[in-house]
């Protein structure tokens, strides 16, 4: 017998669409809520990157730019890509001076490829975005292209190994299992993937650190 998929109501579908691609006035409201709701997850992802010196950090799905601001406050440079024009505008306004002086470059993207040159970032992170990626394997492979040899990508997300809130539309929230996400990352060229399972403070948040081989750029 096939599994019955329960669809959310209208509010859940709208919330899911706006979470995946915030737009307009409602998108700005949802964006503000996501800053609050995902702050701890972003901070844990940053901690897992363990940046011990000024670095160039790529953020995929930077939202309203809160984590970019944290990175800039710690003397890092930021490359960012987001599929939402609304979030690009808000994050740019929030980090206006850094965008003007070149410490931050925040761009709109197509949700699949990363609009930055090869070997231009030391590390990367993305929080609660993997569900919305049309082609996760292609995106993570493109992140690997942008990262320098030995670079790390940290992903913070929920997985399908635990129950999903009923408001999340499964047509929008395509949530992978932990095993599936690790397999995708390995196929995308990452040499090792460290997985930190949820703890009691946030029983749904998984952290993954995917590491590239430490080979020379010319090889």
């Amino acid at each position: 017998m096939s599994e019955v998929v329960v669809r959310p109501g209208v509010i859940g579908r709208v919330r899911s669409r706006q979470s995946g691609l915030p737009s307009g006035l409602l998108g700005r409201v949802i964006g503000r809520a996501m800053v609050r709701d995902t702050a701890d997850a972003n901070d844990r992802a940053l901690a897992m990157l363990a940046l011990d010196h000024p670095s160039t950090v790529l953020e995929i799905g930077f939202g309203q730019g809160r984590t970019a601001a944290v990175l800039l406050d710690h003397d890092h440079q930021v490359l960012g890509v987001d599929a939402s024009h609304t979030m690009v505008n808000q994050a740019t306004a929030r980090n206006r001076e850094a965008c003007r002086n070149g410490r931050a470059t925040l761009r709109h993207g197509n949700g699949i490829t990363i609009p930055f040159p090869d070997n231009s970032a030391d590390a990367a992170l993305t929080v609660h975005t993997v569900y919305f990626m049309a082609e996760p394997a292609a995106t993570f492979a493109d992140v690997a292209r942008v990262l320098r040899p030995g670079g790390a990508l940290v992903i913070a997300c929920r997985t399908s190994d635990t129950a999903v809130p009923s408001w999340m539309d499964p047509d929008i929230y395509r949530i992978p299992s932990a095993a599936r996400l690790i397999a995708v990352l390995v196929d995308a060229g990452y040499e090792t993937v460290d997985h930190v399972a949820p703890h009691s403070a946030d029983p749904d948040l998984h952290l993954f650190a995917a590491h590239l081989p430490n080979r020379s750029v010319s090889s």
Side-chain angles (χ1 to χ4, degrees):
M1 181 181 294
S2 61
E3 182 180 353
V4 176
V5 177
V6 178
R7 301 293 175 184
V10 173
I11 293 175
R13 293 196 298 273
V14 170
R15 182 179 174 185
S16 294
R17 283 198 303 272
Q18 287 290 341
S19 295
L21 191 67
S23 60
L25 177 59
L26 182 56
R28 292 196 292 273
V29 173
I30 293 288
R32 284 196 294 271
M34 287 192 294
V35 169
R36 180 187 64 248
D37 294 344
T38 66
D40 181 66
N42 277 275
D43 289 343
R44 290 184 61 195
L46 285 176
M48 195 169 186
L49 276 181
L51 302 170
D52 57 4
H53 61 276
S55 303
T56 299
V57 182
L58 168 67
E59 184 177 10
I60 303 101
F62 48 72
Q64 290 196 328
R66 178 260 182 191
T67 301
V70 172
L71 286 162
L72 292 163
D73 285 345
H74 287 81
D75 296 325
H76 302 295
Q77 293 196 2
V78 175
L79 303 177
V81 58
D82 201 293
S84 165
H85 286 289
T86 299
M87 294 297 98
V88 172
N89 291 339
Q90 290 200 298
T92 300
R94 182 170 189 160
N95 298 284
R96 184 176 290 108
E97 184 59 31
C99 290
R100 284 175 177 169
N101 64 30
R103 294 185 58 225
T105 304
L106 306 178
R107 294 180 177 170
H108 177 260
N110 62 10
I112 298 174
T113 58
I114 308 300
F116 295 106
D118 296 3
N119 304 304
S120 56
D122 301 299
L125 78 158
T126 189
V127 177
H128 290 309
T129 64
V130 64
Y131 334 119
F132 313 121
M133 293 178 180
E135 300 177 25
T139 298
F140 293 138
D142 212 36
V143 172
R145 174 189 62 78
V146 174
L147 285 173
R148 297 186 178 108
L153 162 65
V154 168
I155 301 168
C157 63
R158 65 168 56 245
T159 74
S160 62
D161 303 292
T162 55
V164 175
S166 60
W167 67 265
M168 291 183 176
D169 187 339
D171 288 337
I172 297 171
Y173 275 85
R174 298 176 296 274
I175 302 175
S177 67
R180 175 58 184 160
L181 182 53
I182 290 170
V184 167
L185 289 164
V186 171
D187 288 345
Y190 297 86
E191 189 173 45
T192 60
V193 181
D194 301 323
H195 175 210
V196 178
H199 57 55
S200 57
D202 191 343
D204 296 315
L205 185 72
H206 292 250
L207 290 162
F208 302 85
H211 305 272
L212 290 176
N214 194 12
R215 62 183 182 279
S216 64
V217 174
S218 60
S219 62

